[in-house]
């Protein structure tokens, strides 16, 4: 373990605590917090600017594989995961992961940062406005759910998240209870994150100027530093989510996403 890693370890541990809690509370896998702050930490360590966001995305998705397991187990135990929705969306996740992973490799750090900010801002606005779905609106059929899964998975690869920033608003728009939408989103985050981590591992192989300790675009020291507190804190957030009123949960979700979108826009302007 290098001296440099020990110097940055407290920051990684703090990020794991905050991200794991957010994963359980909001059903977002933690990526909306991991990506902008990992980008900032990697920049502060002097990593190559051309790969900053790619590394943040890949590392975030690798972490989310494990935080999603922890969060989804807690939500499932409370009966807040709709496995019929998970089964309907899952077929589209593979295709979306391939498309999103390929696109992420082609885009620059600035373009990825801008995409992150745009999609997160859109999600935050939808939640902030608290638009009421039509009482008759229902989830689409099998083909429609697979299409939704493809879109959510592809966009998740581009923003390094478990898909909750899209899947939670989509499910609430279709009259799924907010607590159930958050729990189901946590379960969906696992296959999305696995696909993303694999794609960023493959996509980063052979890339020059990556720091020591990298597996493709996954930076192992950050992965290990964030992972353990993240997994421990995800159930804490999930237990709190089950007790919070729906309106409060939506406001927390929206405020959280607005702040992170602004942070990523700032990063985009500097790159």
């Amino acid at each position: 373990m290098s001296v440099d890693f020990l110097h940055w370890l407290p920051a990684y541990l703090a990020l794991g605590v905050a991200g794991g809690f957010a994963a359980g509370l909001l059903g977002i896998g933690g990526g909306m917090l991991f990506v902008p702050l990992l980008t900032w930490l990697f920049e502060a360590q002097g990593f190559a600017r051309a790969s900053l966001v790619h590394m943040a995305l890949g590392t975030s998705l690798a972490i989310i594989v494990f935080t999603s397991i922890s969060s989804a187990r807690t939500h499932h135990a409370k009966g807040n995961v709709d496995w019929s929705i998970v089964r309907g969306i899952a077929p589209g996740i593979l295709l979306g992961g391939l498309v999103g992973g390929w696109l992420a490799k082609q885009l620059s750090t600035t373009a990825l940062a801008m995409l992150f900010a745009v999609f997160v801002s859109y999600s935050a606005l939808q939640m902030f406005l608290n638009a009421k779905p039509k009482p008759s609106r229902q989830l689409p059929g099998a083909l429609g759910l697979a299409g939704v899964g493809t879109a959510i998975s592809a966009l998740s690869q581009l923003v390094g998240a478990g898909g909750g920033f899209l899947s939670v608003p989509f499910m609430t728009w279709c009259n799924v209870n907010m607590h159930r939408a958050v729990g189901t989103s946590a379960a969906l985050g696992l296959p999305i994150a696995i696909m993303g981590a694999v794609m960023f591992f493959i996509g980063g192989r052979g890339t020059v100027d990556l720091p020591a300790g990298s597996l493709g675009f996954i930076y192992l020291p950050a992965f290990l530093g964030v992972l353990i507190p993240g997994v421990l804190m995800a159930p804490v957030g999930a237990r709190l989510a089950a007790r919070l009123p729906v309106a409060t949960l939506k406001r927390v979700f929206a405020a959280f996403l607005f702040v992170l979108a602004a942070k990523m826009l700032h990063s985009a302007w500097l790159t």
Side-chain angles (χ1 to χ4, degrees), residues 16 24 158 205 209 242 269:
L158 296 175
R205 295 178 65 188
D209 295 330
W269 288 331

Side-chain angles (χ1 to χ4, degrees), residues 111-132:
L112 285 172
M114 292 295 292
L115 274 172
F116 182 97
V118 168
F119 284 113
V120 172
S121 295
Y122 170 77
S123 298
L125 182 61
Q126 292 294 102
M127 300 298 286
F128 183 78
L129 293 177
N130 196 23
K132 301 294 184 182

Side-chain angles (χ1 to χ4, degrees), residues 136-222:
S136 60
R137 194 183 303 281
Q138 301 294 323
L139 288 163
L143 187 60
L145 281 177
V148 168
T150 299
I152 290 175
S153 181
L155 290 171
S156 295
Q157 313 311 314
L158 296 175
V159 298
F165 70 109
L166 288 175
S167 60
V168 170
F170 165 72
M171 283 184 275
T172 56
W173 184 69
C174 292
N175 286 293
V176 176
N177 172 273
M178 181 63 177
H179 291 143
R180 201 160 181 80
V182 169
T184 304
S185 172
L188 286 169
L190 178 58
I192 290 173
I194 290 173
M195 275 298 303
V198 169
M199 292 300 292
F200 276 93
F201 164 69
I202 295 172
R205 295 178 65 188
T207 301
V208 297
D209 295 330
L210 292 181
S214 297
L215 285 179
F217 286 128
I218 300 172
Y219 185 52
L220 287 179

Side-chain angles (χ1 to χ4, degrees), residues 18-30 32-33 71 75 127 163-165 167-169 178-179 181-183 185-186 234 237-238 240-241 244 248-257 260:
F21 181 76
L25 179 66
L26 304 173
I28 59 174
M32 297 290 98
L33 182 62
S71 178
H75 282 291
M127 300 298 286
F165 70 109
S167 60
V168 170
M178 181 63 177
H179 291 143
V182 169
S185 172
L240 180 59
L244 283 176
T248 299
L249 195 55
K250 284 188 175 183
R251 284 195 294 269
V252 170
F253 194 28
F256 180 76
L257 295 183
L260 293 175

Side-chain angles (χ1 to χ4, degrees), residues 24-44:
L25 179 66
L26 304 173
I28 59 174
M32 297 290 98
L33 182 62
F34 293 147
V35 173
L37 295 183
L38 281 173
T39 299
W40 178 78
L41 287 171
F42 292 161
E43 184 176 20

